[in-house]
Amino acid sequence: MMESNQHLENEEAAYDLTLEVSKFWSVLDEADKDYIQMCQMAIEEQKEWNV
């Protein structure tokens, strides 16, 4: 959803997906945690995702 910027059209679904992944926080490495946090910030601020 992030790479195709669908989070701009469907904010709730995109944020819900980040929460689903967050259940595994204890086994994620720092890069994955950073990615999830940046996704959440982009969703909340309605920013385009350019990777």
Side-chain angles (χ1 to χ4, degrees), residues 1-33:
M1 290 186 85
M2 297 306 294
E3 281 88 23
S4 62
N5 284 308
Q6 291 179 19
H7 68 284
L8 298 173
E9 298 172 13
N10 198 344
E11 179 181 349
E12 186 176 338
Y15 200 83
D16 287 346
L17 286 175
T18 67
L19 295 177
E20 283 290 316
V21 176
S22 294
K23 289 190 239 181
F24 306 103
W25 199 257
S26 64
V27 296
L28 296 175
D29 63 24
E30 288 302 313
D32 291 330
K33 291 176 182 178

Side-chain angles (χ1 to χ4, degrees), residues 36-51:
I36 293 168
Q37 289 175 328
M38 294 305 294
C39 288
Q40 289 174 335
M41 187 169 64
I43 293 165
E44 291 170 358
E45 296 177 6
Q46 288 290 288
K47 292 189 176 195
E48 283 190 23
W49 190 262
N50 297 314
V51 178

